[in-house]
């Protein structure tokens, strides 16, 4: 049948145009015009790659600001959410455990309400940011662990805070890797 | 609530003027008129015709058009199926991935060939860059172009009179790719790369984190795929986390642009429709109905998500803010806005985890998909689905005023009515039957990611998404099994062809008819009354079809939530 022959010809021709020429052209443009962005916004310290500013990584030491909980523990090869439903008892139990740990780690009184992002996992499991409130909550701990003045650390957090795009997209937030790199630069 | 309203207004301020311009442009393209891009693109178009031996002057009957649609869709599925199976021996495979398992490959082939982009696999560990580029991304373009072509043919049917032909599928299809999809994707991809969406052929990068751990970061030709994924209302992510992944959607600007892009062509086509049928007010009336329904669903979602989860508040989370499954750089309002946009269209790309949304948000998402994604809708197919409801609404209005139903000067008869009802009901029956089967079989229940009412919502969501060719998921359900891959694959095929083929049948049928001039007794189809009747018919059909299922899933869970009960 004529239709079938034409269909396969069209698929073949467009596979070349859209599956080879188009992505290679985009790769060429990206690599020439925005090489750092196109290659993953990688951050290097002393010549070796420590991560990507866009991809969250695990921080557990008291000396660093911590990111959000991650279902894959920041394994970048396994992006994804917890997919817990809002009434799932296993989910609520896990959140309570995280709240308790967060309060303990930061020396806060039991029963204190905590910023949601610090105890709830993101959609990608690789969220590079925490909320401004989430960062401020950790200032005292980080300052103490590093022997820094609290005001200095708080000022750094404020300075690195970015607001919502067009006043509507996103919460005031801090990039955790960049904040921690800046901390390392201080001390 | 300020951010919710502001983000919506910003999106609409960007969307409506752009859609008006693109709608005019597409009307010119599909009527074969010159456009400002013709000097550059006409040679490419002619080259494709020559290589594929297409005679661009050859018009087609509805039957021949439909055969071409089926051949192109199934041919695309077959090619994609083979690429996945042979991935292990094909080049551009830096991770040395094996061929994809047959049932996953079959499901994925149908999924991308039908513009669904349901993903049973995780991209970063299943598909090589070659499969992503040459297989998946190509079908993103082609399946979108098929949808646009069929919509154009159906519109043409209403615009023509007493003719046996509705245009040439090959010409509509090639023009949709060359003049519409490719230029939009090129521009969007460049902007996305400039903001941090990766575009490279490198293997994954190994990083030594500040605390000394090793993090392997997968990169690839993402921006080129991300752009067409949104523009073509496809929704298949390069990464498992889809548009929530920072490499697919790194900041607020890319989020706004991607959200805009996935609504652009469906909205523009409504304007094209008005122009091609020679009645711009008709296009605007359809758009008004869509905007009303969009605002209703969005309002419910905003209210639900911004009210928060009382169970979380009880656990010590400030305000009970439902940030589970949401990214800080988007926040709750922009996540809800995207979830609404991706389910009213057949996109299915997600920037948050729908499984963790509050029950009433889930209800709205299920409703948006269940009515057939006619609020803007998928590229092409959304308008087709909306026209099914128009036929139904005109039939009901005709009964009430005691006249033969008419639309755009065409008398609507039994054939049009039967086709519209098939287009509306067959996907609904498919998804309800599929979900019912999965709910009673061990193979279906084995995949549940959450207990009780939410589990029922997960299964219902899967079949609704498949039959609606949406592709988003309540992803806690484990679906990469032969049972789900095959049953959901079948639902996707039925959903796709139950929209495309009745749409063509109606287009061909009305093209054969005379156009009768309107009289004083004709039901007016451009005013507020028409919009109200249309919206009411859509809400009624949706409610009557799904209320029993919804009451056992999201509605029950919402009542549990209000009573503070865990599942």
């Amino acid at each position: 049948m004529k239709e079938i022959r034409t269909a396969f010809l069209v698929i073949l021709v467009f596979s070349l145009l859209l599956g080879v020429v188009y992505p290679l052209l985009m790769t060429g443009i990206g690599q020439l015009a925005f090489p750092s962005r196109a290659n993953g916004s990688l951050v290097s310290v002393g010549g070796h790659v420590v991560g990507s500013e866009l991809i969250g990584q695990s921080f557990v030491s008291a000396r660093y600001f911590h990111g959000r909980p991650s279902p894959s523990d920041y394994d970048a090869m396994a992006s994804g959410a917890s997919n817990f439903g809002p009434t799932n008892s296993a989910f609520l139990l896990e959140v309570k455990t995280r709240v308790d740990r967060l309060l303990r780690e930061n020396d806060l009184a039991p029963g204190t309400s905590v910023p949601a992002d610090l105890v709830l996992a993101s959609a990608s499991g690789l969220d590079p940011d925490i909320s401004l409130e989430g960062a401020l909550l950790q200032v005292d701990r980080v300052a103490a662990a590093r022997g820094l003045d609290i005001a200095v650390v708080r000022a750094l957090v404020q300075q690195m805070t970015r607001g919502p795009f067009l006043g509507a997209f996103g919460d005031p937030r801090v990039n955790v890797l960049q904040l921690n790199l800046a901390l390392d630069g201080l001390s | 609530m300020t951010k919710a309203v502001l983000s919506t207004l910003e999106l609409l301020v960007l969307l409506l003027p752009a859609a008006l311009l693109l709608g005019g442009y597409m009307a010119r393209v599909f009527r074969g008129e010159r456009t400002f891009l013709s000097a550059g693109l006409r040679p490419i178009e002619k080259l494709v015709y020559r290589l594929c031996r297409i005679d661009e002057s050859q018009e087609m009957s509805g039957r021949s058009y439909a055969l071409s649609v089926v051949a192109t869709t199934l041919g695309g599925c077959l090619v994609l199926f083979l690429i996945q199976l042979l991935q292990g021996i094909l080049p551009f495979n830096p991770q040395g991935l094996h061929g994809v398992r047959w049932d996953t490959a079959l499901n994925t082939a149908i999924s991308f060939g039908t513009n669904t982009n349901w993903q049973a696999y995780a991209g970063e560990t299943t598909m090589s860059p070659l499969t992503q580029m040459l297989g998946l991304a190509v079908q993103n373009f082609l399946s979108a172009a098929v949808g646009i072509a069929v919509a154009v043919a159906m519109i043409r049917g209403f615009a023509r009179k007493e003719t046996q032909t509705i245009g040439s599928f090959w010409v509509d299809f090639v023009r949709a790719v060359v003049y519409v999809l490719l230029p939009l994707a090129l521009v969007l991809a460049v902007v996305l790369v400039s903001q941090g969406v990766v575009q490279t052929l490198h293997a994954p990068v190994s990083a030594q984190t500040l605390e000394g751990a090793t993090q392997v970061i997968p990169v690839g030709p993402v921006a080129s795929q991300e752009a067409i994924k949104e523009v073509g209302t496809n929704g298949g992510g390069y990464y498992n986390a889809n548009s929530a992944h920072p490499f697919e959607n790194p900041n607020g600007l890319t989020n706004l642009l991607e959200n805009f892009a996935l609504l652009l062509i469906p909205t523009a086509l409504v304007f094209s429709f008005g122009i091609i049928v020679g009645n711009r007010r008709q296009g605007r009336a359809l758009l008004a109905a869509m905007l009303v329904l969009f605002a209703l669903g969005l309002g419910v979602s905003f209210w639900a998500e911004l009210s928060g989860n009382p169970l979380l508040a009880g656990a010590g989370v400030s305000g009970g803010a439902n940030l589970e499954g949401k990214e800080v750089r988007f926040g709750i309002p922009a996540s809800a806005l995207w979830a609404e946009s991706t389910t009213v269209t057949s996109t299915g790309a997600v920037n948050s985890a729908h499984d963790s949304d509050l029950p009433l948000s889930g209800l709205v998402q299920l409703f948006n998909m269940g009515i057939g994604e006619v609020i803007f809708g998928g590229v092409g197919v959304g308008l087709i689905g909306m026209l099914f409801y128009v036929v139904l609404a005109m039939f009901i209005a005709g009964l009430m005023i005691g006249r033969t139903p008419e639309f755009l000067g065409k008398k609507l008869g039994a054939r049009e009515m039967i086709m519209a009802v098939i287009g509306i009901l067959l996907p609904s029956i498919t998804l309800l039957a599929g979900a019912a089967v999965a709910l009673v079989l061990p193979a279906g229940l084995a995949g549940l990611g959450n207990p009780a009412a939410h589990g029922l919502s997960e299964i219902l969501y899967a079949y609704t998404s498949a039959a609606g060719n949406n592709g988003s998921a309540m992803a806690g359900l484990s679906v990469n099994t032969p049972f789900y891959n095959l049953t959901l694959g079948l639902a996707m095929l039925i959903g796709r062809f139950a929209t495309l083929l009745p749409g063509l049948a109606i287009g061909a049928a009305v093209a054969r008819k005379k156009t009768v001039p309107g009289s004083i007794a004709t039901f007016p189809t451009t005013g507020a009354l028409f919009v109200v009747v249309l919206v009411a018919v859509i809400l009624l059909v949706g409610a009557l079809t799904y209320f029993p299922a919804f009451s056992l899933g999201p509605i029950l869970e919402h009542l549990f939530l209000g009573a503070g009960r865990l599942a």
Side-chain angles (χ1 to χ4, degrees), chain A residues 22 68 79 82 84 88 124, chain B residues 124 224 324-327 356 450:
Chain A
Y22 163 68
R68 303 180 61 184
S79 70
S82 74
F84 276 132
N88 188 330
S124 62
Chain B
E124 45 274 69
S224 54
E324 181 71 26
K326 296 186 177 69
E327 304 279 305
S356 298
N450 282 285

Side-chain angles (χ1 to χ4, degrees), chain A residues 9-28:
Chain A
L9 281 173
V10 166
I11 291 168
L12 181 71
V13 169
F14 275 143
S15 291
L16 289 176
L17 177 67
L18 308 169
V20 180
V21 176
Y22 163 68
L24 293 186
L25 178 69
M26 287 296 104
T27 307

Side-chain angles (χ1 to χ4, degrees), chain A residues 152-165:
Chain A
V152 172
V153 179
R154 179 170 296 132
L156 186 67
V157 168
Q158 302 278 10
Q159 183 201 325
M160 300 197 69
T161 301
R162 281 176 292 178
F165 176 67

Side-chain angles (χ1 to χ4, degrees), chain A:
Chain A
M1 289 215 294
K2 195 160 163 290
E3 283 87 359
I4 294 177
R5 195 199 67 188
T6 311
F8 277 97
L9 281 173
V10 166
I11 291 168
L12 181 71
V13 169
F14 275 143
S15 291
L16 289 176
L17 177 67
L18 308 169
V20 180
V21 176
Y22 163 68
L24 293 186
L25 178 69
M26 287 296 104
T27 307
I29 293 174
Q31 293 292 331
L32 283 176
F34 315 102
S36 161
R37 289 301 191 189
N39 289 313
S41 308
L42 300 174
V43 183
S44 293
V45 173
H48 69 262
V49 178
V50 297
S52 160
E53 67 173 86
L54 295 177
I55 303 291
Q57 54 181 253
S58 168
F59 289 101
V60 291
S61 146
R63 294 168 45 81
Y64 284 121
F65 283 88
H66 299 173
R68 303 180 61 184
S70 161
S72 67
D73 200 18
Y74 288 99
D75 177 355
M77 293 300 285
S79 70
S82 74
N83 290 308
F84 276 132
T87 55
N88 188 330
S89 52
F91 168 53
L92 269 299
L93 200 64
E94 196 164 326
V95 172
K96 277 186 189 134
T97 313
R98 288 179 194 150
V99 171
D100 290 344
R101 191 170 60 225
L102 185 71
L103 294 177
R104 217 169 42 241
E105 283 174 355
N106 293 283
D107 214 11
L108 293 166
T112 312
S113 283
V114 300
D117 56 302
L118 290 187
V119 290
L120 300 177
S122 67
S124 62
L126 302 171
D127 197 334
D129 302 312
I130 51 175
S131 68
L132 173 60
E133 299 78 23
L136 290 176
L137 181 144
Q138 303 183 51
V139 163
D140 290 9
R141 183 199 78 223
V142 172
R146 288 181 175 255
L148 285 169
D149 192 358
I150 289 176
V152 172
V153 179
R154 179 170 296 132
L156 186 67
V157 168
Q158 302 278 10
Q159 183 201 325
M160 300 197 69
T161 301
R162 281 176 292 178
F165 176 67
L166 293 180
F169 292 84
D171 300 321
R173 65 193 196 278
V174 189
N175 182 298
V176 181
L177 177 60
Q178 286 177 333
L179 178 62
N180 285 333
L181 282 168
L183 266 181
D184 281 352
L186 280 182
S187 35

Side-chain angles (χ1 to χ4, degrees), chain B residues 62-417:
Chain B
R63 189 186 149 76
S64 174
Y65 204 106
L67 270 174
S68 311
V69 166
V70 173
T72 306
T73 301
L74 296 183
C77 294
L78 179 66
V79 170
L80 180 52
F81 183 57
L82 294 177
I83 291 176
Q84 292 176 79
L85 292 183
L86 300 175
Q87 168 174 282
I89 57 169
L90 291 172
F92 263 150
N93 182 3
Q95 287 163 263
L97 296 167
H98 296 293
V100 180
R101 204 178 71 208
W102 74 272
D103 58 306
T104 313
L106 181 62
N107 180 281
T108 307
I110 294 172
S111 170
F112 279 69
T114 57
N115 201 255
T116 313
N117 302 54
W118 172 265
Q119 296 174 289
Y121 60 92
E124 45 274 69
T125 48
T126 314
M127 302 294 179
S128 73
L130 183 89
T131 310
Q132 299 260 22
M133 281 177 4
L134 190 64
L136 303 174
V138 169
Q139 282 309 312
N140 279 355
F141 279 99
L142 301 191
S143 63
V146 167
I148 295 175
V150 172
V152 167
M154 187 181 184
I155 297 170
R156 223 178 253 135
F158 280 102
R160 290 181 174 184
K161 55 189 173 194
E162 297 172 85
T163 167
Q164 297 298 317
T165 61
I166 49 172
S168 160
F169 170 72
W170 304 118
V171 172
D172 293 338
F173 175 78
V174 171
R175 285 193 182 146
V177 171
V178 173
Y179 287 87
V180 182
L181 297 169
L182 190 54
L184 285 172
L186 275 167
V187 174
L188 183 59
V190 173
V191 179
L192 291 179
V193 180
S194 78
Q195 295 299 307
V197 179
V198 294
Q199 182 70 28
T200 166
L201 301 175
H202 283 293
V205 180
S206 188
Q208 197 81 18
T209 69
L210 290 193
E211 291 193 339
T214 300
Q215 188 181 40
V216 181
I217 301 173
V219 291
V222 179
S224 54
Q225 188 160 334
E226 188 71 18
I228 185 59
K229 160 190 154 188
E230 313 297 358
V231 167
T233 65
N234 295 283
Y238 195 95
Y239 298 105
N240 187 46
N242 208 295
S243 296
H245 196 290
F247 279 165
E248 290 199 19
N249 192 0
N251 58 40
L253 171 63
T254 57
N255 188 67
L256 174 60
L257 286 178
E258 290 177 17
N259 200 337
F260 158 78
L262 67 85
L263 290 164
L264 179 60
I265 293 180
T267 313
L269 267 173
V270 184
F271 289 112
S272 309
F273 165 78
I275 295 170
I276 296 177
V277 299
N279 186 344
R280 286 169 195 252
R281 291 183 62 199
Q282 189 64 64
R284 289 202 289 270
L286 291 186
L287 187 67
M290 292 173 174
L291 283 169
V292 167
L293 289 162
F294 183 75
L296 283 177
L298 187 60
V300 173
S301 288
F302 276 151
W303 179 77
E305 291 298 321
L306 292 170
S307 303
N309 180 343
L311 296 170
L312 285 177
V317 175
S318 177
N322 190 34
L323 265 181
E324 181 71 26
K326 296 186 177 69
E327 304 279 305
V328 172
R329 65 188 179 285
F330 308 140
I332 291 175
S335 299
L337 178 59
W338 179 298
E340 171 78 359
S341 306
T342 200
T343 51
V344 294
T345 62
S346 75
T347 312
V350 294
N351 78 348
S352 67
H354 290 193
D355 219 348
S356 298
D357 281 342
L358 290 164
L360 289 186
S361 310
L363 175 76
V364 170
Q365 292 156 12
L366 284 165
F367 185 86
N368 289 339
M369 296 187 291
I371 58 172
E373 290 140 355
V374 297
I375 311 167
F376 309 119
V379 286
V381 289
L383 182 61
I384 296 169
M386 187 50 116
L387 290 173
F388 293 156
Y389 280 105
V390 168
V391 170
L392 184 60
M394 288 304 96
F395 181 76
I396 293 170
L399 285 179
M400 288 194 290
I401 59 174
R403 278 179 56 98
T404 313
E406 276 174 34
F407 184 61
L408 294 169
K410 301 285 188 181
K411 291 220 181 293
L412 301 174
R415 185 173 172 77
E416 292 78 46
M417 188 59 199

